[in-house]
Amino acid sequence: MTSSSAAPRRTALDALHRSLGATMTDFAGWDMPLRYGSEREEHTAVRTRAGLFDLSHMGEITVTGPQAAALLNHALVGDLAAVGVGRARYTMICRADGGILDDLIVYRLAETEFMVVANASNAQVVLDALTERSAGFDAAVRDDRDAYALLAVQGPEAAGIVGALTDADLKGLKYYAGLPGTVAGVPALIARTGYTGEDGFELFVAPSDAVALWEALSAEGAAAGLVPCGLSCRDTLRLEAGMPLYGHELSTSLTPFDAGLGRVVKFAKEGDFVGREALTEAAELASRRPPRVLVGLIAEGRRVPRAGYDVVVGGEVVGEVTSGAPSPTLGRPIAMAYVDAAHSAPGTAGVGVDIRGSHEPYEVVALPFYQRQK
């Protein structure tokens, strides 16, 4: 576990990022590229062409054994036993009180093998929780964070770029599915997943193969307008797509039902799971009247809201901004915020955000702000 005083970890692509002139930043204990040039241009490239990301800071944890599925059903809120081999599932790991420890993607690689992908900031917490919860199960939890580099190609041109470098059946690869193959001669788990709102692929490879794969993807994608992309545009892309970010829309003080993501909790699955009792109560409360609802806000003016700013109606605080940024696609500032249920309906009048003492007018909209044409 990286302490705050330790030097940031570097991915296998670190020297390459620096050679491309990336602005680097410390993110969850890793030195990561924030941007290479203009974050607006990187954002627009992903929306209209393609972008290439280094996501090697994400935390991979492998769960294997005859009771791997049973362990994950106990440890997580989803029904992982129902996931077919080669498919993936978005889910969460919660505390006994229902608070969200992290949101996860879990890939079923084989009948008795799963890969859990945690957020970089929570990887150790998730590893510790899975290890603790594995007691009594015939299953092993393995820290594989150093075993993988993770590259992502996202955008409308992604399928053409990756498809030109692999014999894998990308056309038959559904969203939230993964298959083993080779890309540019590099062995990879090819997953049709992402965090941008666009079609795309996440490629899990050995760290020693990361540079060769990055260079091959860059060369193949050049004619299609692919550009390297940093964490800054990744944040504005996921915000436009209405995708939650841990530490902003998700936290231990919120349950999945508070976040409007109660659908990931599968009460009908076999066996008990951590947080079931508390989440049953949270589900009942949400069905009556959720105290606060996650909504989208679009600015009428130009001032950008930031996380922690108050949402106000008639001078009264009715909510709080969780994420905010200028939207390159909409051309106006946008935000996600938790607001009192009474003010959460799209089109609700009189809603503003307190930006340094000035109550700026905002329109309440349903999430997501942006949805690609399929």
Side-chain angles (χ1 to χ4, degrees):
M1 186 170 166
T2 305
S3 69
S4 57
S5 60
R9 298 181 67 184
R10 297 187 172 191
T11 78
L13 293 161
D14 184 78
L16 193 149
H17 297 317
R18 294 171 193 277
S19 75
L20 293 172
T23 299
M24 306 296 287
T25 188
D26 183 347
F27 183 82
W30 289 81
D31 218 8
M32 298 298 295
L34 188 63
R35 69 181 72 82
Y36 297 84
S38 160
E39 55 203 51
R40 176 178 288 271
E41 289 175 11
E42 291 171 24
H43 179 112
T44 302
V46 175
R47 285 278 178 258
T48 59
R49 304 185 305 277
L52 178 58
F53 297 82
D54 178 9
L55 307 178
S56 302
H57 60 313
M58 301 295 281
E60 296 87 5
I61 301 162
T62 302
V63 180
T64 57
Q67 290 190 296
L71 162 58
L72 290 174
N73 266 15
H74 166 69
L76 312 180
V77 300
D79 187 355
L80 285 307
V83 177
V85 173
R87 298 308 302 267
R89 180 69 48 86
Y90 175 79
T91 187
M92 294 181 182
I93 182 168
C94 291
R95 302 191 309 193
D97 66 2
I100 303 166
L101 283 171
D102 201 14
D103 62 334
L104 313 163
I105 296 180
V106 180
Y107 299 86
R108 191 168 199 163
L109 305 181
E111 194 62 31
T112 60
E113 182 179 4
F114 294 80
M115 181 170 68
V116 177
V117 181
N119 287 296
S121 57
N122 294 328
Q124 189 66 44
V125 169
V126 174
L127 176 66
D128 291 345
L130 287 175
T131 301
E132 181 183 329
R133 295 175 189 186
S134 69
F137 289 90
D138 187 3
V141 177
R142 185 175 72 232
D143 181 0
D144 270 348
R145 283 177 287 180
D146 293 333
Y148 292 102
L150 176 56
L151 282 64
V153 185
Q154 300 280 300
E157 300 291 340
I161 294 165
V162 178
L165 295 172
T166 183
D167 291 333
D169 177 20
L170 295 191
K171 287 185 179 176
L173 186 63
K174 295 178 180 177
Y175 186 52
Y176 265 70
L179 81 171
T182 59
V183 183
V186 170
L189 171 64
I190 306 166
R192 199 163 208 152
T193 46
Y195 193 51
T196 63
E198 299 298 336
D199 187 23
F201 302 87
E202 296 184 322
L203 309 171
F204 296 84
V205 302
S208 58
D209 290 329
V211 170
L213 180 56
W214 179 285
E215 291 177 341
L217 290 165
S218 297
E220 181 60 41
L226 174 140
V227 301
C229 293
L231 294 181
S232 185
C233 83
R234 180 171 155 88
D235 190 48
T236 53
L237 289 160
R238 71 91 194 166
L239 177 54
E240 287 185 349
M243 294 176 169
L245 175 64
Y246 196 89
H248 290 255
E249 288 72 42
L250 308 175
S251 72
T252 52
S253 64
L254 297 167
T255 73
F257 294 95
D258 295 325
L261 293 166
R263 65 182 182 275
V264 306
V265 182
K266 305 300 182 185
F267 292 112
K269 65 179 175 176
E270 279 189 38
D272 197 12
F273 64 92
V274 177
R276 177 191 279 275
E277 188 177 337
L279 291 170
T280 299
E281 292 178 12
E284 290 171 359
L285 176 64
S287 68
R288 292 199 300 272
R289 194 178 79 88
R292 282 193 167 176
V293 179
L294 187 65
V295 302
L297 300 174
I298 300 180
E300 294 181 17
R302 311 301 303 177
R303 298 187 73 182
V304 179
R306 298 296 182 192
Y309 285 10
D310 287 335
V311 179
V312 294
V313 172
E316 297 292 320
V317 175
V318 299
E320 184 177 307
V321 171
T322 54
S323 297
S327 165
T329 304
L330 277 63
R332 288 195 283 169
I334 60 173
M336 285 198 278
Y338 282 107
V339 301
D340 293 349
H343 305 286
S344 63
T348 299
V351 175
V353 175
D354 186 339
I355 301 180
R356 299 186 185 88
S358 174
H359 292 184
E360 301 290 325
Y362 274 74
E363 178 187 359
V364 179
V365 299
L367 293 169
F369 300 98
Y370 166 86
Q371 207 158 11
R372 70 183 175 93
Q373 301 300 308
K374 297 183 181 178

